[in-house]
């Protein structure tokens, strides 16, 4: 009976023997006589003397490696070239280490939460004058951010749609852009809670303590993220980075 298909042969790197693929016969599997390639099997163990005797190595050679010696098969030159071309053409999705350009670009994503934290640091700037430097760093962007009452909303959607959802950008930039948005939301929540304090709290010693606490938490987190971003590492913020990572991964195409 003529075989319907014959697979290519591979070379065993362990025993240097040629492995010939078994022909795929047209008759049912139960009527096939499966045996290991004699040239490779005989160098490791005695071949079976009768068809009824079974061997753990019986059966056609697998594509993953030589069953008797367990070592990978040496691919042909053409197959290795095709695999190398497919690996080179595979899209990494921007997961390679970021260069200095991507690091600086990703660190700029934290300017937005930095601007919103400035309003919480009145007591800090008054009691610690050297901290005024942190007030002046985002200064050139404050006028643009507060140029209109709709400007913060426009900036939010601009970052989310053009940076976070843009799969052509580096994953490092998209991650830090989304994390900057999340930290900005946290800073705005502190400002909203502060605005709804009753008059008894607003004119007491509780409000300065609250301002210093919220400013230190937010500003410390932002500086931490900026430092590791410029270093080329993903800044891990508890409870925030996990949701940020899932959001960025949900934006990737399936």
């Amino acid at each position: 009976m003529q075989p319907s298909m014959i697979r290519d042969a591979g070379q065993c790197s362990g025993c240097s023997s040629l492995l010939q693929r078994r022909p795929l016969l047209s008759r049912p599997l139960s009527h096939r006589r499966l045996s290991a390639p004699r040239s490779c099997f005989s160098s490791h163990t005695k071949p079976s003397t009768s068809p009824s005797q079974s061997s753990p190595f019986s059966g056609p050679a697998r594509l993953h490696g030589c069953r008797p010696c367990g070592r990978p098969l040496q691919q042909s030159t053409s197959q290795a070239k095709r695999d190398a071309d497919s690996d080179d053409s595979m899209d990494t999705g921007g997961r390679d280490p970021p260069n200095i350009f991507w690091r600086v670009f990703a660190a700029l994503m934290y300017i937005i939460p930095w601007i919103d934290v400035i309003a919480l640091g009145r007591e800090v700037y008054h009691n610690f004058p050297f901290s005024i430097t942190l007030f002046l760093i985002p200064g050139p962007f404050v006028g643009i951010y507060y140029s209109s009452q709709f400007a913060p909303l426009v900036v939010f959607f601009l970052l989310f749609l053009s940076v976070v959802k843009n799969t052509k950008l580096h994953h490092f930039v998209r991650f830090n852009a989304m994390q900057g948005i999340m930290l900005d939301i946290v800073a705005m929540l502190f400002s909203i809670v502060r605005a709804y304090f009753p008059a008894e709290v607003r004119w007491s010693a509780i409000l300065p303590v609250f301002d210093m606490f919220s400013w230190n938490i937010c500003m410390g987190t932002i500086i931490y993220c900026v430092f590791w971003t410029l270093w080329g590492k993903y800044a891990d913020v508890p409870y925030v980075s996990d949701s940020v990572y899932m959001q960025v991964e949900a934006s990737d195409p399936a």
Side-chain angles (χ1 to χ4, degrees):
M1 183 167 300
Q2 298 296 329
S4 59
M5 186 196 323
I6 298 179
R7 299 178 181 175
D8 297 333
Q11 185 177 3
C12 176
S13 62
C15 54
S16 300
S17 60
L18 194 64
L19 301 181
Q20 180 67 39
R21 299 298 190 271
R22 299 291 299 175
L24 300 179
L25 304 180
S26 58
R27 56 183 175 178
L29 181 63
S30 59
H31 296 285
R32 299 180 192 176
R33 182 178 179 180
L34 302 179
S35 61
R38 183 173 298 178
S39 59
C40 182
F41 180 76
S42 59
S43 61
H44 295 276
T45 184
K46 297 181 179 179
S48 57
T49 57
S50 63
S52 59
Q53 295 178 359
S54 61
S55 171
F57 300 118
S58 62
R62 302 291 187 249
L63 295 177
H64 299 289
C66 176
R67 289 302 299 272
C69 62
R71 298 188 181 182
L73 298 178
Q74 295 178 355
Q75 295 179 338
S76 61
T77 305
S78 59
Q79 181 65 28
K81 186 177 183 301
R82 287 195 299 267
D83 293 343
D85 294 339
S86 63
D87 292 340
D88 294 339
S89 61
M90 186 178 298
D91 185 13
T92 58
R95 305 302 180 93
D96 50 331
N99 54 28
I100 187 63
F101 172 76
W102 292 123
R103 296 180 191 182
V104 175
F105 187 30
L108 289 176
M109 299 295 106
Y110 294 99
I111 290 294
I112 305 304
W114 200 321
I115 293 174
D116 285 331
V117 172
I118 288 177
L120 300 173
R122 182 178 303 176
E123 293 294 329
V124 178
Y125 304 140
H126 178 72
N127 296 324
F128 305 97
F130 63 89
S131 63
I132 198 66
T133 306
L134 300 175
F135 176 83
L136 298 175
I137 290 177
F141 303 96
V142 174
I144 301 175
Y145 189 72
Y146 290 114
S147 60
S148 172
Q149 60 179 350
F150 298 104
L153 186 63
V154 172
V155 170
F156 170 80
F157 282 106
L158 187 64
L159 283 178
F160 187 76
L161 297 177
S162 63
V163 179
V164 178
K165 293 292 185 178
N166 189 359
T167 56
K168 295 181 179 179
L169 294 177
H170 200 286
H171 183 271
F172 190 69
V173 176
R174 297 168 56 210
F175 175 86
N176 286 280
M178 190 63 206
Q179 188 154 265
I181 292 174
M182 295 293 291
L183 294 180
D184 185 47
I185 294 174
V186 174
M188 288 190 296
L189 288 177
F190 277 113
S191 299
I192 293 173
V193 172
R194 183 182 185 277
Y196 281 92
F197 277 160
E200 293 81 8
V201 177
R202 295 177 62 87
W203 294 100
S204 65
I206 299 177
L207 187 63
V209 173
F210 177 81
D211 288 345
M212 295 182 66
F213 171 78
S214 57
W215 186 90
N216 282 286
I217 291 295
C218 296
M219 186 59 70
T221 305
I222 292 172
I223 295 176
Y224 166 82
C225 293
V226 171
F227 172 79
W228 285 111
T229 301
L230 292 176
W231 196 257
K233 305 294 183 181
Y234 285 84
D236 188 11
V237 181
Y239 305 107
V240 175
S241 297
D242 292 338
S243 59
V244 168
Y245 189 83
M246 289 188 292
Q247 181 64 41
V248 174
E249 289 297 314
S251 303
D252 292 337

